[in-house]
Amino acid sequence: MSDHIHWLIEQGITSEHIGDLVAGLCERLIAEGFPIWRASITMPSLHPMYRGVAANFVRGGVTTIENSEHGGIEERNFEKTPTFHLLSRGERKGRWNLADGEGLEYPRLKEFALAGGTDHVISIFEFPKEVALRGFSLSLTSDVPGGFSDDQLMTVTTLIPVLGLACYRMAASKTAADILAVYTGAKTSARILAGEAQRGKGGSINAAILLADLRNFTGLTEVYQPGEIAGFLDAHFELIGRHVEENSGEILKFMGDSVLAIFPIGSGEGDDPEKACRAALASARNMLKANEVLNRERTGKGGPDIGVDVVLHLGEVFYGNIGARGRLDFTVIGRAVNEASRIEKLCGELGQPLLMSESFAAACGVACEGLGSFELRGFSRKADVFKLADPIVASARKSAAIASDLA
């Protein structure tokens, strides 16, 4: 017994995966004669996409992780589970003799019984009530006649508090990482968790900058209810975020109806600005196409057409912690960010949903067409602004370049 407790404490400190925890514990107990056929640890999750996670062990098989989405089929069917039955009655333990036909009203237990299960037990352990992570449940299923002995169940009962401590530590660590990534982005959250949490901590990097702004969005707030406005923002931000992340970029912040994202170049000698620029350009083009599809679907139902203006820039920025001592924002600041913001104001004036700065156009490796030099508020020097060259013009330039090389 003490060996199991020591092992659980060690795993609780060093492991990050409940799959390893349930598999390791089951293998140890099976080695002592416990007739465990299946087992599962289930915990709620503090995540905008998932309401819970389960690690499912099968003797002789692969331990799998199952995420339950908010509003998904698992959530809708939760009331049909023995765990819900126990919680609704305020009970923390349950046992069903599958061989005698008990618990067959629950689809999962019926499935186990038909596959040869004989005994099913559940133990629920509550975490402190002030946290959103309410607790965890451990379920064990046997496939031998008679199932688990009283002594074996007593051993499990003794291990539950230690198992709960391990699960709580893992859940707290994962929740911190998941929530931080949701609010700051995966790459930024990794830097924060690695220790970059002090105000002013950061440094200069070169990056392709993408700034996307929903066109004429302020006017919609006078026509639609706040809940509808939030829905519009979510829909557009979802497609923008998807295409930024698909091209290895990272959204740093949502600013009202605008999105700021970067595609870092790095600091190595082999770093290629063109690679970052092409990634940003691919994101911009894909999100504009996806936005057209979204608008067609919405306007077909009588909703508004919401355009997106995108600006791409290349420059040096400060990437790090900015703010008050007790309230920081890990973001990018600097001249390049301000320039991108000023250029965005030209999208409507020029009738172009995608504009590029001179530095970006020169580095992206794609044919671009100059639109002129423009004054930017707060800057003494005019900025040359570009758009993607029309396909015919781009093809002609490519042919001319080939002819020049052959001459």
Side-chain angles (χ1 to χ4, degrees), residues 73 214 370:
I73 187 171
L214 300 185

Side-chain angles (χ1 to χ4, degrees), residues 1-166:
M1 175 70 72
S2 61
D3 288 344
H4 296 319
I5 292 175
H6 178 78
W7 182 84
L8 284 172
I9 293 174
E10 184 179 72
Q11 290 299 302
I13 295 173
T14 61
S15 181
E16 297 295 336
H17 305 287
I18 60 170
D20 296 339
L21 190 66
V22 68
L25 179 60
C26 287
E27 294 291 358
R28 292 174 66 89
L29 294 177
I30 289 172
E32 290 189 356
F34 282 64
I36 299 174
W37 172 45
R38 290 176 174 270
S40 177
I41 290 180
T42 304
M43 291 191 295
S45 175
L46 185 59
H47 192 282
M49 293 175 58
Y50 308 113
R51 65 174 297 274
V53 60
N56 303 308
F57 167 86
V58 179
R59 186 181 63 231
V62 177
T63 299
T64 60
I65 301 297
E66 179 182 355
N67 288 304
S68 174
E69 294 186 2
H70 290 292
I73 187 171
E74 298 89 353
E75 183 174 5
R76 295 194 295 271
N77 290 335
F78 182 60
E79 294 184 4
K80 301 177 183 178
T81 66
T83 300
F84 177 83
H85 167 81
L86 293 176
L87 291 173
S88 64
R89 295 164 61 94
E91 299 175 0
R92 297 296 173 260
K93 291 183 181 180
R95 185 177 187 180
W96 292 265
N97 189 327
L98 304 182
D100 286 349
E102 294 179 1
L104 301 189
E105 66 271 24
Y106 305 113
R108 180 61 62 90
L109 298 194
K110 183 177 181 180
E111 175 188 333
F112 290 167
L114 292 174
T118 59
D119 194 11
H120 185 82
V121 296
I122 294 179
S123 296
I124 297 175
F125 184 85
E126 290 185 302
F127 296 152
K129 296 185 182 300
E130 63 270 15
V131 298
L133 300 170
R134 298 304 183 191
F136 82 98
S137 68
L138 171 68
S139 66
L140 300 173
T141 308
S142 178
D143 60 349
V144 303
F148 302 104
S149 69
D150 291 342
D151 288 343
Q152 289 168 342
L153 294 181
M154 182 59 69
T155 297
V156 172
T157 297
T158 303
L159 294 176
I160 285 294
V162 188
L163 179 60
L165 185 62

Side-chain angles (χ1 to χ4, degrees), residues 46-49 176-186 189 245 251 254:
L46 185 59
H47 192 282
M49 293 175 58
D178 286 348
I179 292 298
L180 192 60
V182 166
Y183 282 94
T184 67
S189 67
E245 292 174 0
I251 290 178
F254 297 100

